[in-house]
């Protein structure tokens, strides 16, 4: 894995048109006839504090830290349902689970024309999705550029990619850069880079399998153990949760039930996070090299949080902050310099993102969307 190179944002200032993000405003710095692009960097099983800019004592995320320093970080951002497929359906539809109908990993019931990619494509945008889908069969025909894969950290190569196995985050990067390089330059675009990392490979005994180039990261660091990562904390949970048969407890045994296992698992988890960060950096650098950065909104968020052994649990699902609170960074080139690098503590939700992206690009929000 190559280390990300430093990039600088070069933003011009012009006409100011105000658009809203959950009660906060951004000011437009481009002429009104230039449509805004959107890049959504969407990671997996990555909670709100797993960022250098959030003050994390271990993990290194220099690319996302730079994005935050040039944008806004929302520190109280939550998902409405903390599980992969349901949360992704809420992102696509701007709806709670009770309306979109995906209660696990199947198709959602919402009409495609009422999803954010559907609205953007109908408005003449090039629409791309690369990586994890988790909402039933991937509707490739709905996208101008579409790929779907997840479940394993190491994948068989595609034709023309050689013979070696390829890491899923590397494939995310290849696909994202391919779309950005080949896209028509006379159309605006929306790109979702849906990472599988930092999700565990559940059927593999090692769970988290980063790239070899990352293995020196965090090697000499002792990962702090949360103070409530105890049996006593687990036993204080409600009876329907505090059972050894509970899947969150089952996965705690997979990952965290010895000090040695905890150290090994968490270091590899953080290595996966740093790999995602590096790919985010290279996507942003290509946008800058193409001269597209000053007309592209970039959003980084994740589908749900993650227990790092807190409450004696692993994974997600339950309504603790470790599970439902997720990062949200928004870079908008229309943001005045004086407002860059700030944090906002107003509560935001994953269902707010679809209507925010549409409104920020001057498009109408479907009445079916419940976010704002």
């Amino acid at each position: 894995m190559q280390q990300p190179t430093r990039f600088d944002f070069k933003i011009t200032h012009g006409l100011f048109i105000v658009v809203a993000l959950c009660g906060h405003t951004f000011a437009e710095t481009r002429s009104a006839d230039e449509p805004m692009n959107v890049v959504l960097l969407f990671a997996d099983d990555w909670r709100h504090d797993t960022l250098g800019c959030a003050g994390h004592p271990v993990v290194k995320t220099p690319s996302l830290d730079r994005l935050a320093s040039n944008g806004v970080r929302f520190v109280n951002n939550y998902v409405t349902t903390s599980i992969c497929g349901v949360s992704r359906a809420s992102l696509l539809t701007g709806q709670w689970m009770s309306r979109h109908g995906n209660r696990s990993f199947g198709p959602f019931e919402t009409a495609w024309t009422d999803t954010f990619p559907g609205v953007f494509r109908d408005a003449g945008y090039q629409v791309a999705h690369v990586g994890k889908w988790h909402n039933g069969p991937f509707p490739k025909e709905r996208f101008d550029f579409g790929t779907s894969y997840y479940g394993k950290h190491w994948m068989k190569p595609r034709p023309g990619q050689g013979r070696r196995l390829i890491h899923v985050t590397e494939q995310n990067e290849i696909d994202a850069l391919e779309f950005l390089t080949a896209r028509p330059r006379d159309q605006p675009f929306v790109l979702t880079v849906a990472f599988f990392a930092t999700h565990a490979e559940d059927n593999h005994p090692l769970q988290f399998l980063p790239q070899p180039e990352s293995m020196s990261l965090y090697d000499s660091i002792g990962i702090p153990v949360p103070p409530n990562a105890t049996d006593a904390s687990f036993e204080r949970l409600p009876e329907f949760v505090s059972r050894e048969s509970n899947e969150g407890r089952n996965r705690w045994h997979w990952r965290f039930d010895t000090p040695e296992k905890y150290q090994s698992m968490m270091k590899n988890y953080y290595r996966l996070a740093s790999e995602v960060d590096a790919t985010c950096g290279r996507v942003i650098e290509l946008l800058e090299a193409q001269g597209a950065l000053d007309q592209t909104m970039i959003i980084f968020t994740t589908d749900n949080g993650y227990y790092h052994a807190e409450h004696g649990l692993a994974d997600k699902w339950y309504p603790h902050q470790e599970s439902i609170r997720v990062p949200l960074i928004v870079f908008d080139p229309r943001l005045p310099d004086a407002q860059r690098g700030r944090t906002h503590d107003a509560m935001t939700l994953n269902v707010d993102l679809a209507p925010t992206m549409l409104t920020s690009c001057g498009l109408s929000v479907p009445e079916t969307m419940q976010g704002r």
Side-chain angles (χ1 to χ4, degrees):
M1 181 188 71
Q2 296 179 356
Q3 292 299 312
T5 57
R6 181 171 299 277
F7 61 88
D8 297 310
F9 292 92
K10 302 178 178 68
I11 307 300
T12 58
H13 299 280
L15 178 67
F16 285 81
I17 300 174
V18 172
V19 296
L21 174 62
C22 309
H24 302 286
T25 58
F26 295 98
E28 179 153 337
T29 61
R30 299 152 38 258
S31 64
D33 58 353
E34 292 183 59
M36 177 68 71
N37 308 308
V38 179
V39 171
L40 176 60
L41 304 168
F42 193 51
D44 197 314
D45 283 357
W46 184 324
R47 68 195 209 181
H48 72 101
D49 58 355
T50 309
L51 291 164
C53 58
H56 197 278
V58 175
V59 71
K60 304 298 181 185
T61 55
S63 298
L64 294 171
D65 296 350
R66 288 195 293 274
L67 190 68
S69 71
N70 286 278
V72 178
R73 185 167 62 89
F74 291 84
V75 299
N76 286 306
N77 184 55
Y78 296 85
V79 299
T80 53
T81 309
S82 185
I83 185 170
C84 301
V86 180
S87 184
R88 289 163 189 274
S90 292
L91 173 76
L92 289 160
T93 64
Q95 298 174 350
W96 297 63
M97 179 180 71
S98 57
R99 179 172 292 185
H100 64 62
N102 179 354
R103 287 166 172 77
S104 55
F105 312 113
F108 49 80
E109 299 167 3
T110 306
W112 187 258
T113 52
D114 288 340
T115 65
F116 84 78
V119 175
F120 273 116
R121 201 177 190 203
D122 287 347
Y125 276 68
Q126 282 275 309
V127 179
H129 176 100
V130 303
K132 187 171 180 177
W133 180 247
H134 231 187
N135 277 272
F138 179 61
K140 186 178 177 67
E141 71 281 0
R142 301 286 193 181
F143 295 92
D144 298 288
F145 185 101
T147 62
S148 176
Y149 43 87
Y150 55 90
K152 291 185 177 297
H153 290 138
W154 290 94
M155 305 164 51
K156 292 182 179 179
R158 295 180 186 162
Q161 289 186 327
R163 301 179 64 180
R164 68 174 179 87
L165 293 177
I166 190 166
H167 196 272
V168 63
T169 303
E170 184 181 1
Q171 190 67 61
N172 293 145
E173 181 176 322
I174 290 169
D175 292 344
L177 299 186
E178 179 182 345
F179 167 74
L180 290 174
T181 300
R183 65 183 172 84
R185 299 305 173 91
D186 58 350
Q187 285 181 267
F189 67 88
V190 175
L191 166 64
T192 299
V193 186
F195 297 96
F196 178 58
T198 55
H199 197 293
E201 187 171 325
D202 292 333
N203 295 322
H204 195 288
L206 297 180
Q207 298 289 290
F208 305 104
L209 295 96
Q211 299 173 55
E213 298 89 337
S214 301
M215 294 307 293
S216 61
L217 293 174
Y218 317 120
D219 190 44
S220 60
I221 297 174
I223 308 300
V225 179
N228 60 343
T230 63
D231 288 341
S233 183
F234 174 69
E235 291 163 1
R236 283 195 298 269
L237 294 172
E239 190 272 336
F240 75 93
V241 181
S242 58
R243 302 172 180 171
E244 286 295 328
S245 59
N246 173 4
E247 188 61 23
R249 184 63 169 180
N250 182 39
R251 298 185 185 209
W252 176 86
H253 283 294
W254 294 357
R255 300 166 193 161
F256 302 137
D257 63 0
T258 70
E260 296 78 16
K261 191 184 293 184
Y262 183 87
Q263 293 296 317
S264 175
M265 294 287 177
M266 288 307 303
K267 288 179 182 181
N268 282 337
Y269 173 92
Y270 290 143
R271 288 161 182 151
L272 290 173
S274 290
E275 291 172 0
V276 169
D277 176 82
T279 287
C280 292
R282 284 188 276 275
V283 169
I284 296 168
E285 287 162 8
L286 179 56
L287 291 169
E288 185 178 33
Q290 291 179 339
L293 195 60
D294 64 351
Q295 61 192 68
T296 303
M297 170 183 280
I298 303 172
I299 298 171
F300 173 78
T301 191
T302 72
D303 60 351
N304 47 251
Y306 212 58
Y307 293 109
H308 296 167
E310 293 91 350
H311 312 285
L313 296 171
D315 245 275
K316 54 260 186 182
W317 307 309
Y318 303 114
H320 297 110
Q321 289 206 47
E322 296 93 345
S323 176
I324 65 172
R325 187 177 171 195
V326 299
L328 175 60
I329 299 171
V330 179
F331 164 76
D332 190 319
R334 301 166 291 190
L335 191 67
D337 288 345
Q339 296 186 32
R340 294 170 186 264
R342 291 187 175 184
T343 59
H344 281 298
D345 60 7
M347 180 181 288
T348 55
L349 299 175
N350 60 340
V351 295
D352 295 331
L353 286 174
T356 294
M357 289 185 284
L358 294 171
T359 302
S360 296
C361 294
L363 301 180
S364 297
V365 177
E367 293 182 358
T368 58
M369 289 189 175
Q370 296 170 290
R372 61 190 179 97

